[in-house]
Every structure is written in C-alpha cells, then in structure tokens.
C-alpha cells in the first residue's frame, strides 16, 4: 500500500512535477535526497535525483526553460541531463532497465518503468521514490522496503546481492561507505556476496574507489570502514600495504602489537579531534612501513627502526597508485609520517631548547597537527604508560609555545641567505663552481645549526659574525 510522505516541501518539486504533467510523464525524486531527508541528515551540497517514465533529457530541458537556466549538461548515451539551480544540483534520468557488460560498469541502457529503475539501484535505502506529479504529489514508492531497512539500519540490495554487485562492483565500496557513514550494518548475504565478488573491483577506475575511500576516511569513525574493507578482502586488492599491518608475532614470549588495529585506533583518535582529510591520511600511513622494518633483537625485543623514514618514502608511491594528489597535501603527509616519532622521542630525554627548536624548524606551521597525531598515537592499554606519555607530550607542547614566542622559528627564514654569503665572501655559485657551492651550503648549515642550538641569536649581525668565522676556518680569501 502506498502512502504520502511529508518531506516534499521544496519549491522546485512542484515546478518539476508540473513540467512532468505537461509532458505526460510520471515524475519522481529518488535516491540519496529521499534517504537523507527521512534520516534528517543535512548536507552541504544538495542534489535532487529526478527520474521520469519518459525522456529524462526532454524533462530537463523543460525544467531549465521554466527556471530560465541557459546551462544544461546532456549525456546522450546515458539519456541523462543535469542542471544547477542556485546551489542545488538536479540530475534527470529516464526510468530504465539496465544490463551491464561483464567487463565494464557502463550499462547498456533500455527504457523501463519506475519499478525497473528502482530495481537497478544499489541499495533498498537508495531506491525509495516520491511522486512529484499533481495527481499523487508526495506519494511514496518503496517496493523493496527501504524505509524498514532505514529504521533497522541495514544495507541491503533490492535484487539478489551477487547480481547488484557484479553489475557494478563500485557498489561494494559504496556498501562499506554507507555502512560507515550512516553507522548501518551490511546484511549478511550482501556481505558474503562482496567477499565472493571482491576481484570484480579490478574493473573500477581507481579514482572512483579512492573517492569512496576518502568518504570513509572523513566519517566519524573510519575504523568501521577499514575493518569491513579488510574483512571482505577488498583492502588487499587496492591497498595491500595497509592490509599487511595485520597480525602479531611472538618470540621468546615477546609479542608486538597488531599494527593494523593500532593504526585504526590512531585514525579514530585523530578523527575525533580533526576533520582534515590529510591529517587523517597521515594517521592512516604513520606506521605503514612497520612490516618492512620489523626486526627482533634478543635483548630489546621487537624494533621497527627507520619505519618513519621508509614510511615517508612510501607515501609518494601509495598516493600515485591511489590517484591521490601529488601536491602539497602529499608533502604534508610525508612530513607528518617522517616526524611522527620526534615529539615522543624528545620527551623521553631531557627536553632541551635545541631539540624543541629543531622540531619547530622541521614541522613549521604543521606543528599543531603533528602534536595532535602524536597524542592520538598513544594507544597503550596500560593506563600508567598512557598518563606518562601524555604528560611528557604536554611538557613538549608547553615548551613549544614558550620557545615560539621567543624565537619565532615556525616561520623561520635564515637571517643570511646564499646571495649575501656569495657577495660578502666573493664566492661564485652555479654549476661551474661546485667547490664554492659546497662552501656556501656548509656555511648556511652551520649558521642554521648555531641558531637552532641557541649558540647565536636568530638575527643578521650575529649570523654575519659567524659567517666570517666559518669562512676563516674554511680558508676562504675574501
Ligand atoms: N546509484 C547506484 N549505483 C551506484 C551509484 C549510484 O545504484 N554505483 C544510485 C543510487 O540509487 C543513488 C543514486 O544512484 O542513491 C545517486 O547516486 P549518488 O549521487 O552517487 O549517491 P547518493 O545516494 O546521492 O549518496 P551520496 O550523495 O552520499 O553519495
């Protein structure tokens, strides 16, 4: 039995319904907007998915004319069109049956009824439709009980799950993404179908997979998604380095922690404090090189020496393969992975000004994010240890603030640059003078070290004096 639903109050719906009436088409809003409205989830970007039992492009053109919109994007092969009205995106489709080719997710399109169109959708919660025509405005069409699944928090496919996933394997990622962002459960036959069809993911473009992955990472509790990705076997296919973090090993009664679950805990901890995608990526990758650097030492037990260096190098390869941007975001992640041990290492020793200055110099404006990551990295079950590490990090944080006030290292620029050194010491730069080039580099490095070690002040005069002193030591005649 159909019923009316009272969420359909947007001014545009009556206009679209009216255009549908004039073209003699049954017209509906369907998919994500219906789902999110019932859930009362507000989104930054509003998108209406409109489906009609006639030509979707024709309907889009009529709506565009009514709204006095000149720009319309038409995708003839798919029979779809889209419009932008104020900050709302409108997608128009003609109702269709779809049959997919086994090696591609691009469907062969055939006209169909609204029920056919609902059947071809990914999940029951995304297949609910509401009529926009005048005669039954607001009538709710839910042939697969999406509303019930929404209430029971279930991800279920309208058809036999193997068919739905095999038709479009991206849906396996979407199932996990929705389960994570909505905090729903994937119904068991669906879950098993994902496991069985996991290798079909290979026909999906990496960009689409990564888009879903980023949505998982940006959720409130990303660990849920990664656990599901791992348990279904999907993770191994597109992100084997992360999957390799699984497992513990014991030698002589000494066991190291499971780095997969540790990483997920760190990711969740960071996610509670920050919504930055790239800080979350840093958490995900901070221990990525642990499997490659794992050693057992009879005296000290398990070690992962250099995992921060190797991990930082791995970032580029992972970003490249996952088609993530190879820009300043990647550099930021590399930096955080490389530095993630430094604040804790520093706090184990006597916290010196020099150590703090060096940390500030290396982290620069990302120091607050680095400290957040370090705090999130404390996942020990031993309360005593947790308290001790957190207290130590607090001491480091206080010193950072204190030193930054005095020295302003965060935006540090050397008080003497290469061209001043060249001019005052009559040195030549460039490829033709590699010896001079080396000397300039040594002088710069020594001045930097002296400032960071607090031997001279961060100012021109003292740096200049030191420059002449080093020049003498190097036997430079100026
Ligand atoms: N859809 C599908 N299979 C896909 C992608 C989408 O069946 N691989 C259908 C679903 O009915 C979905 C609708 O197309 O609701 C619109 O897709 P999209 O805009 O990608 O997702 P939304 O459901 O709107 O959700 P979100 O905006 O959160 O991505």
């Amino acid at each position: 039995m159909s019923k009316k639903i009272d969420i359909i109050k947007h001014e545009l719906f009556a206009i679209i319904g009216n255009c549908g009436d004039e073209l003699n088409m049954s017209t509906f809003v369907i998919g994500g907007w219906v789902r999110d409205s019932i859930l009362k989830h507000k989104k930054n970007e509003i998108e209406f998915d409109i489906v009609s039992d006639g030509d979707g492009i024709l309907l889009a053109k009529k709506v565009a004319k009514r709204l006095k919109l000149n720009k319309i994007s038409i995708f003839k092969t798919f029979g779809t069109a889209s419009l932008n009205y104020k900050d709302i995106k409108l997608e128009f489709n003609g109702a269709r049956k779809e049959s997919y080719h086994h090696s591609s997710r691009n469907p062969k399109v055939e006209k169909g009824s609204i029920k056919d169109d609902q059947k071809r959708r990914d999940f029951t919660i995304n297949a609910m439709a509401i009529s926009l025509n005048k005669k039954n405005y607001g009538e709710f069409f839910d042939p697969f009980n999406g509303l019930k699944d929404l209430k029971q928090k279930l991800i279920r496919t309208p058809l036999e799950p193997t068919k739905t996933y095999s038709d479009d394997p991206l849906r396996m990622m979407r199932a996990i993404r929705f389960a994570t962002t909505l905090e729903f459960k994937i119904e068991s036959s669906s879950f098993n179908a994902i496991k069985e069809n996991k290798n079909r993911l290979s026909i999906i473009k990496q960009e689409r997979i990564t888009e879903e992955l980023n949505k998982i990472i940006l959720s409130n509790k990303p660990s849920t998604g990664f656990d599901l990705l791992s348990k279904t076997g999907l993770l191994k296919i597109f992100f084997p380095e992360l999957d390799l973090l699984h497992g513990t090993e014991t030698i002589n009664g000494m066991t190291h922690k499971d780095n997969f679950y540790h990483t997920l805990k760190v990711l969740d901890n960071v996610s509670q404090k920050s919504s930055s995608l790239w800080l979350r990526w840093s958490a995900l990758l901070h221990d990525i090189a642990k499997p490659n650097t794992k050693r057992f030492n009879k005296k000290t037990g398990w070690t992962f020496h250099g995992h921060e260096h190797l991990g930082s190098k791995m970032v580029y390869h992972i970003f490249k393969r996952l088609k993530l941007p190879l820009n300043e975001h990647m550099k930021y992640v590399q930096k955080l992975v490389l530095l993630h041990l430094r604040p804790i290492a520093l706090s184990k020793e006597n916290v010196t000004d020099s150590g703090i200055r060096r940390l500030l110099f290396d982290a620069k404006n990302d120091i607050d994010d680095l400290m957040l990551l370090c705090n999130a990295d404390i996942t020990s079950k031993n309360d005593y240890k947790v308290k001790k590490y957190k207290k130590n990090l607090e001491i480091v944080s206080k010193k950072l603030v204190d030193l930054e006030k005095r020295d302003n290292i965060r935006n540090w620029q050397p008080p003497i640059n290469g061209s001043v050194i060249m001019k005052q010491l009559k040195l030549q730069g460039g490829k033709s003078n590699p010896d001079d080039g080396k000397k300039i580099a040594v002088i710069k490095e020594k001045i930097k070290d002296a400032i960071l070690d607090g031997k001279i002040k961060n100012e021109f005069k003292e740096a200049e004096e030191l420059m002449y002193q080093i020049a003498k030591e190097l036997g430079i005649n100026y």
Side-chain angles (χ1 to χ4, degrees), residues 30-36 43 45 47-49 91 93 96 98 100 105 117-128 158 164 168-172 174 177-178 181-182 208 211-212 215:
I30 192 166
W33 184 84
V34 178
R35 178 197 70 224
D36 290 338
K43 283 204 168 162
E45 289 155 23
E47 189 175 325
F48 296 153
D49 201 353
E91 287 269 345
N93 284 287
R96 60 203 189 199
E98 260 169 9
Y100 287 77
R105 62 182 288 270
D117 199 90
Q118 286 171 300
K119 230 193 250 175
R120 73 168 180 93
R121 291 189 178 256
D122 52 4
F123 308 115
T124 58
I125 58 165
N126 289 344
M128 299 178 284
T164 300
D168 179 358
L170 182 68
R171 290 170 171 170
M172 301 190 282
R174 283 173 62 89
R177 188 256 288 188
F178 282 119
T181 55
L182 300 177
R208 306 296 307 278
E211 202 179 308
E212 295 298 330
K215 287 185 179 174

Side-chain angles (χ1 to χ4, degrees), residues 250-264:
T250 306
I251 298 183
N252 295 349
M254 283 187 261
T255 310
H256 69 74
K257 65 181 164 218
D258 182 306
N259 286 307
F260 184 74
Y261 289 107
H262 163 70
T263 294
L264 296 195

Side-chain angles (χ1 to χ4, degrees), residues 7-173:
I7 51 177
I8 201 84
K9 287 176 185 142
H10 200 280
E11 42 157 347
L12 274 184
F13 289 135
I15 296 172
I16 298 166
N18 187 260
C19 291
D21 284 338
E22 284 177 18
L23 292 169
N24 215 3
M25 293 179 190
S26 299
T27 306
F28 306 84
V29 57
I30 192 166
W33 184 84
V34 178
R35 178 197 70 224
D36 290 338
S37 304
I38 297 173
L39 286 172
K40 298 194 168 56
H41 284 183
K42 288 229 157 50
K43 283 204 168 162
N44 295 336
E45 289 155 23
I46 306 176
E47 189 175 325
F48 296 153
D49 201 353
I50 307 294
V51 65
S52 68
D53 65 355
D55 182 348
I57 298 176
L58 200 64
L59 179 62
K61 283 182 178 166
K62 196 165 185 76
V63 172
K65 203 167 167 197
R66 185 72 53 89
L67 296 173
K68 299 190 174 57
L69 303 173
N70 301 323
K71 238 187 112 192
I72 172 164
S73 313
I74 295 175
F75 309 93
K76 232 177 169 170
T77 6
F78 293 102
T80 67
S82 68
L83 301 172
N84 286 303
Y85 177 71
K86 295 181 182 165
D87 51 357
I88 299 172
K89 188 163 182 215
L90 294 156
E91 287 269 345
F92 292 86
N93 284 287
R96 60 203 189 199
K97 295 178 188 164
E98 260 169 9
S99 57
Y100 287 77
H101 193 265
H102 197 72
S103 60
S104 153
R105 62 182 288 270
N106 293 337
K108 201 174 98 221
V109 182
E110 251 180 72
K111 273 193 173 179
S113 65
I114 176 73
K115 178 103 189 267
D116 290 326
D117 199 90
Q118 286 171 300
K119 230 193 250 175
R120 73 168 180 93
R121 291 189 178 256
D122 52 4
F123 308 115
T124 58
I125 58 165
N126 289 344
M128 299 178 284
I130 303 172
S131 172
L132 303 180
N133 293 96
K134 195 163 183 201
K135 69 171 190 317
N136 61 346
Y137 190 78
E139 191 177 334
F140 188 49
F141 289 79
D142 183 21
F144 303 105
N145 293 317
L147 192 59
K148 192 170 158 215
D149 288 341
L150 216 50
K151 286 191 176 137
Q152 295 188 341
K153 295 178 172 269
L154 260 194
I155 304 293
R156 202 161 54 86
T157 54
L159 301 175
E160 205 275 303
T162 305
K163 165 128 186 57
T164 300
Y165 292 123
S166 183
D167 274 354
D168 179 358
L170 182 68
R171 290 170 171 170
M172 301 190 282
M173 291 295 298

